[in-house]
Amino acid sequence: MPTLRRQVAAVTAVLALSVTAGAVGTPAFAGDDRQARKTSIATGYGGAVSTVDLDASAAAIEVLRHGGNAADAAVAAAATLGVTEPYSAGIGGGGYFVFYDAQSGEVQTIDGRETAPETMPADAFINAATQKPYPFAELVSSGVSVGVPGSLATWERALKRWGTLRLGDALQPAIDVAQDGFVVDDTFRQQTLDNKVRFSAFTPTSSLFLPGGDAPAVGSIFRNPDLAATYRLIAKKGTDAFYAGPLAEEMAATVQAPPKDPAWVPPASAPATSIPAFPGYLTTADLAAYTTLDQDPTHVEYRGYDVYGMAPSSSGGTTVGEALNILEPFNLGEMSTPAALHHYLEATALAFADRGKYVGDPAFVDVPTDALTDSLFGKERSCNINPATAATKPVAAGDVSTYDGVCPVAPAAAAHETDTENVSTTNMTVADKWGNVVEYTLTIEQTGGSGIVVPGRGFLLNNELTDFSYDSTNPEDPNRVEPGKRPRSSMSPTIILKDEKPFLALGSPGGSTIITTVLQTILNRVDLGMTVSEAIAAPRAAQRNTVNVTAEPGFISAYGSGLTPYGHKLVPAGDAFSSAAEIGAATAIEFDRHGRMEAAAEPARRGGGSAMVVTPAP
Ligand code: GLU
């Protein structure tokens, strides 16, 4: 593809020109220009993108403008997110890539999930002294939580299957942003502050992200020359330079002996903080053996739409799909808003019960994906929804071995499912002028991942293995730790077709609230009459089969009084590592029949996202 490569090189030159114009290296988008260009809604033609970040969306749009397709643009944006959203995604993590191929009319996926190292014991998370799992706060900042990264292999596979660019060319915009810098915004600074204590415990992490001992100031330029050099190395030598050779050796060594500052003590502000920095199990053999998986998507029909999602190892496709099947018999559009939301909350509790019982890595567990996405199973599960009263949580899982769509006797309550997934991650939606669509969710798990930067390489390693169940002694648990296994994910990149053409593509970060965010956004759009932008902006709540419903403050004030009579207990969202009471950070593109695309990003969450189109509508 020499022509296209030249074109992308030209793109890069354009970006680089604006970057190096200032004496000290002005980033591509600075000051007022930055604010002016960052918009959460963009409507037009010829291609579109929505990400959480201006620089990433710009990288995608430039690739599209110069003849690249949606897969090319998605990889360019993902690599850029690795620079500008380093606490959420990057080459130290993994993800799931969903592609609608306009030529074949098919949706296909790549599973780029991290895997457990081959020598990881099943009791790796268990404290031998107490026989109980270590607390998440200790496991997260450690080598033991690091899985074999899959993102780079995903990018290579996506380009090979569907793209036209070479990996090195797709990395070029990200190399420029890493080298020349980006403008620190409130979100980046706040995420750094939220992680300051644990980042300060690891020498390479504090020197990269806490220069001078503090989080970078809002409005300053953040450069990551180490990551630029790592990307350049990969651009030159290919993914082998990551999955083998010195970099692979350094990653394995870093995981096996996390670079904890020997002088570190908990700060006075958090004296009880314990960071044992447990060593992990990653070896160069694990890295050399890593492979992505080409997979068929999950599929359900919902009100005349074909909804395609990510099959296990993610629980996203089965759980969103099952909840839609549960809701299909109810006419949500005719109900009052509290009544429709009550049905939504009840449906997700049921679907989460089944996810907990049945979903794990299908290479290790017999996952009943067909049953979980069968409309008859969903119909039978819908019998458990009382239109007037919330069921006592947690609700029990259904029986996938015998179902016929007929209401069974009321089941007993199940054990509480501990939710240890967190609220980091990033997501993008990209479409091109040929009609191809990408929905891609990628992550390093917790915001800030393991907290461990590979020394001199400029990127954080994931803590994805904390997505396994911690107490892995239960042989019935499909998500127990097993060597070589992929931990169950909630990532739910979703592409919806209407009459075999794209209608809506969407996804979100947010740990297990990804599932509820994607579902709620679909319901907002399809059932409740909102536009796609309104559907994303609307306040969110997540019922994951727990006693309380996690909700944003805006949701509680708008619907709390309407939902309380049903028996729902709403509590504000938020966790120990995040100062924001937000759920998700969605992106989407809606398509009409005439090539018009509406790209939608968050107007406010995470500081607002960035939607762009190639040719704006007049
Ligand atoms: N680790 C989570 C998952 O795979 C995603 C984390 C997040 O979105 O914050 O489902």
Side-chain angles (χ1 to χ4, degrees):
M1 285 285 137
T3 315
L4 190 52
R5 277 219 299 282
R6 262 202 307 280
Q7 286 166 337
V8 170
V11 170
T12 306
V14 170
L15 285 174
L17 257 185
S18 58
V19 162
T20 51
V24 292
T26 312
F29 303 110
D32 292 346
D33 183 35
R34 192 174 176 80
Q35 279 318 316
R37 294 196 57 156
K38 195 169 177 190
T39 163
S40 62
I41 307 175
T43 307
Y45 300 88
V49 60
S50 178
T51 78
V52 297
D53 176 70
L54 181 66
D55 297 285
S57 290
I61 222 78
E62 291 299 331
V63 169
L64 292 173
R65 261 192 199 130
H66 291 82
N69 70 16
D72 300 323
V75 174
T80 306
L81 287 168
V83 181
T84 57
E85 284 256 293
Y87 308 144
S88 296
I91 53 177
Y96 297 91
F97 195 106
V98 179
F99 188 79
Y100 169 77
D101 183 341
Q103 217 166 22
S104 67
E106 281 188 8
V107 178
Q108 284 299 330
T109 79
I110 299 170
D111 175 330
R113 183 68 160 170
E114 299 91 331
T115 59
E118 280 301 333
T119 55
M120 182 175 185
D123 62 356
F125 295 152
I126 306 290
N127 181 341
T130 63
Q131 285 303 304
K132 295 222 161 64
Y134 291 103
F136 174 78
E138 292 188 358
L139 290 171
V140 59
S141 309
S142 78
V144 77
S145 68
V146 180
V148 190
S151 287
L152 195 59
T154 305
W155 302 348
E156 180 181 53
R157 182 69 192 136
L159 291 177
K160 185 154 185 232
R161 262 179 111 178
W162 304 302
T164 64
L165 291 183
R166 287 189 333 170
L167 178 61
D169 295 323
L171 292 179
Q172 194 57 52
I175 293 171
D176 292 333
V177 179
Q179 187 65 44
D180 297 313
F182 64 91
V183 181
V184 171
D185 62 9
D186 287 315
T187 305
F188 185 83
R189 177 170 167 83
Q190 190 56 54
Q191 289 182 339
T192 314
L193 289 174
D194 290 343
N195 283 282
K196 188 173 172 188
V197 172
R198 66 194 195 109
F199 282 3
S200 70
F202 295 102
T203 313
T205 313
S206 57
S207 59
L208 179 59
F209 293 122
L210 298 169
D214 193 14
V218 173
S220 66
I221 309 302
F222 186 83
R223 296 185 180 81
N224 191 340
D226 286 348
L227 183 56
T230 302
Y231 277 168
R232 266 193 219 104
L233 173 76
I234 295 163
K236 195 160 156 210
K237 301 212 163 145
T239 54
D240 283 354
F242 181 89
Y243 288 103
L247 177 48
E249 284 161 22
E250 290 165 37
M251 280 191 279
T254 303
V255 170
Q256 290 172 27
K260 193 173 165 197
D261 178 352
W264 185 85
V265 286
S269 59
T273 309
S274 161
I275 302 186
F278 304 117
Y281 299 90
L282 184 75
T283 64
T284 52
D286 292 315
L287 287 156
Y290 183 82
T291 45
T292 59
L293 301 170
D294 292 351
Q295 267 181 307
D296 290 336
T298 59
H299 172 244
V300 302
E301 280 177 44
Y302 183 67
R303 310 212 195 284
Y305 296 93
D306 289 288
V307 182
Y308 292 92
M310 196 65 224
S313 56
S314 182
S315 61
T318 57
T319 315
V320 171
E322 182 187 342
L324 288 171
N325 282 335
I326 292 171
L327 290 168
E328 176 84 36
F330 303 102
N331 192 343
L332 303 184
E334 297 278 294
M335 296 177 186
S336 69
T337 305
L341 291 170
H342 163 68
H343 283 75
Y344 153 66
L345 297 173
E346 293 298 275
T348 53
L350 293 162
F352 266 80
D354 295 328
R355 161 190 123 111
K357 177 158 182 189
Y358 295 114
V359 183
D361 181 350
F364 289 76
V365 185
D366 195 9
V367 185
T369 300
D370 288 345
L372 292 172
T373 52
D374 186 339
S375 60
L376 208 58
F377 181 65
K379 189 168 171 221
E380 186 166 309
R381 294 292 278 151
S382 75
C383 302
N384 293 291
I385 297 186
N386 180 326
T389 313
T392 303
K393 311 292 185 308
V395 295
D399 184 351
V400 292
S401 64
T402 56
Y403 62 90
D404 52 14
V406 177
C407 291
V409 181
H416 178 77
E417 188 196 345
T418 311
D419 180 20
T420 53
E421 288 170 40
N422 269 286
V423 289
S424 172
T425 307
T426 194
N427 185 78
M428 73 177 73
T429 316
V430 187
D432 64 32
K433 64 181 173 190
W434 297 281
N436 302 302
V437 182
V438 171
E439 191 62 44
Y440 182 28
T441 315
L442 61 163
T443 186
I444 56 172
E445 214 299 290
Q446 177 66 38
T447 304
S450 63
I452 303 172
V453 166
V454 183
R457 299 299 191 166
F459 66 93
L460 283 156
L461 291 164
N462 68 81
N463 65 299
E464 213 70 59
L465 303 183
T466 59
D467 276 0
F468 280 122
S469 306
Y470 292 178
D471 180 2
S472 281
T473 52
N474 175 6
E476 302 290 302
D477 186 336
N479 193 34
R480 65 190 176 277
V481 176
E482 293 179 83
K485 188 178 182 181
R486 285 158 147 85
R488 177 176 62 214
S489 170
S490 301
M491 288 187 266
S492 310
T494 303
I495 295 182
I496 304 177
L497 308 186
K498 173 84 175 158
D499 301 327
E500 298 176 6
K501 296 278 179 233
F503 161 67
L504 182 66
L506 76 166
S508 177
S512 52
T513 67
I514 293 172
I515 290 168
T516 56
T517 295
V518 167
L519 180 68
Q520 196 180 351
T521 308
I522 294 172
L523 302 180
N524 285 344
R525 175 67 191 90
V526 170
D527 293 278
L528 304 183
M530 297 186 201
T531 66
V532 63
S533 305
E534 291 165 349
I536 284 182
R540 297 186 181 129
Q543 168 49 277
R544 293 163 286 167
N545 200 21
T546 52
V547 172
N548 295 326
V549 175
T550 310
E552 293 180 330
F555 188 95
I556 295 175
S557 57
Y559 307 115
S561 58
L563 285 166
T564 307
Y566 292 90
H568 295 289
K569 298 184 190 73
L570 307 183
V571 297
D575 71 13
F577 292 87
S578 168
S579 48
E582 294 173 348
I583 296 179
T587 71
I589 300 176
E590 181 167 331
F591 306 85
D592 81 0
R593 298 266 112 185
H594 311 289
R596 188 179 156 106
M597 304 172 189
E598 179 172 350
E602 294 286 355
R605 294 181 186 94
R606 275 215 207 165
S610 171
M612 295 187 189
V613 291
V614 171
T615 308

